[in-house]
């Protein structure tokens, strides 16, 4: 192989990808068999197999037991908005964004106490093992799971207060800013870090994804006078959604 030349399996995968993208291989069409790829492109069985693996890893095709490999329906990415603008007091950011889009968003949640891991302790500025309230969310749009979130709040801040459980009590579901204000804590800053990684098996199961699919991960932390009062990981399927930021100009 000369310098700069692609490996054979990537050249084959690239050609098949182009056929999928331009519609020559439409959704639900069976991908050429390994033998057909070998013959058409003049490559070995190993190269043909590796090319198919690339397309599967990219989520372009899927294997069907006893039937073969087929082109997947390619979803049109939809937007999930992230905004620093809070127009309605008493509503969570998710509820605000869903209302703005004219759709009905729902979510399920489960809260429990645990000791902070080393990573979460660092994000919250507490000691590993300190007690936190962990809340796991599944967000849905028209019944379809679109986003997962896990949040951690130090019980040194919310313990023995009316807002100890994020989704219960008079301020349940109102969002971090309003809940903290109810216990005289003023949230004045939020930081978000955006990254991507292969989805964990349990995440993809909850989101209806395929093993190997990539997810967008937003690590968010709310601060009050420099003290972290909540941190969360938001997980979004990268093949179905884009994350759009709308930030106020100061």
């Amino acid at each position: 192989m000369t310098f700069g030349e692609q490996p054979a399996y990537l050249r084959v995968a690239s050609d098949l990808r182009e056929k999928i993208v331009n519609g020559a291989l439409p959704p639900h069409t069976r991908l050429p068999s390994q033998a057909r790829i070998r013959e058409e492109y003049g490559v070995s069985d190993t190269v043909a197999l590796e090319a198919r693996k690339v397309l599967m890893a990219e989520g372009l095709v899927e294997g069907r037991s006893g039937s073969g490999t087929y082109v997947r329906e390619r979803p049109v990415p939809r937007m999930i908005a992230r905004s620093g603008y809070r127009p309605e007091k008493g509503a969570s950011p998710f509820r605000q964004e869903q209302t703005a889009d004219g759709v009905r968003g729902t979510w399920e949640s489960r809260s429990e106490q645990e000791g902070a891991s080393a990573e979460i302790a660092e994000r919250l500025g507490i000691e590993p093992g300190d007690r936190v309230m962990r809340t796991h969310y599944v967000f849905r749009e028209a019944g379809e799971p679109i986003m997962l979130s896990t949040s951690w709040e130090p019980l040194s801040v919310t313990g023995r207060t009316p807002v100890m459980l994020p989704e219960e009590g008079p301020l349940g579901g109102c969002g971090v800013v309003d809940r903290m204000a109810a216990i005289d804590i003023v949230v004045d800053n939020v930081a978000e870090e955006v990254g991507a990684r292969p989805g964990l098996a349990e995440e993809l199961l909850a989101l209806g994804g395929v093993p190997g699919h990539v997810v967008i991960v937003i690590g968010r932390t709310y601060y009050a006078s420099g003290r972290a009062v909540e941190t969360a990981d938001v997980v979004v399927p990268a093949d179905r959604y884009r994350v759009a930021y709308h930030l106020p100009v100061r």
Side-chain angles (χ1 to χ4, degrees), residues 60-234:
L60 295 173
V61 300
E62 61 184 353
R64 298 180 186 174
S65 180
S67 180
T69 304
Y70 292 80
V71 177
R72 295 184 67 239
E73 188 82 43
R74 298 181 68 216
V76 177
R78 292 146 66 191
M79 291 295 179
I80 290 180
R82 309 288 296 171
S83 175
Y85 179 55
R86 296 177 56 80
E88 179 188 347
K89 186 175 177 63
S92 72
F94 177 72
R95 180 174 289 165
Q96 292 170 4
E97 290 154 6
Q98 295 284 297
T99 300
D101 289 340
V103 296
R104 181 173 178 78
T106 60
W107 65 90
E108 307 152 16
S109 66
R110 181 182 71 255
S111 296
E112 58 187 350
Q113 296 187 33
E114 67 179 18
S117 67
E119 177 192 356
I120 298 305
E122 182 177 3
R123 287 165 61 171
L124 289 172
I126 60 179
E127 294 296 321
D130 284 358
R131 305 302 290 174
V132 295
M133 183 65 71
R134 177 175 65 86
T135 304
H136 179 68
Y137 296 87
V138 179
F139 294 93
R140 301 180 186 275
E141 181 182 286
E144 176 189 350
I146 66 169
M147 185 167 62
L148 306 177
S149 178
T150 304
S151 72
W152 296 266
E153 296 180 352
L155 287 174
S156 58
V157 173
T158 62
R160 300 178 183 275
T161 74
V163 301
M164 185 173 74
L165 292 169
E167 295 297 319
E168 295 184 21
L171 290 173
C174 285
V176 175
V177 176
D178 292 328
R179 290 176 46 250
M180 293 298 164
I183 56 174
D184 298 322
I185 294 175
V186 178
V187 173
D188 53 19
N189 194 18
V190 58
E192 292 194 347
E193 295 183 2
V194 182
R197 59 167 170 76
L200 303 178
E202 56 268 29
E203 292 170 340
L204 295 174
L205 180 63
L207 291 168
V210 174
H213 273 193
V214 172
V215 294
I216 300 168
V217 181
I218 304 166
R220 179 198 70 207
T221 304
Y222 281 105
Y223 296 91
S225 300
R227 181 186 186 183
V229 297
E230 189 256 19
T231 194
D233 284 334
V234 180

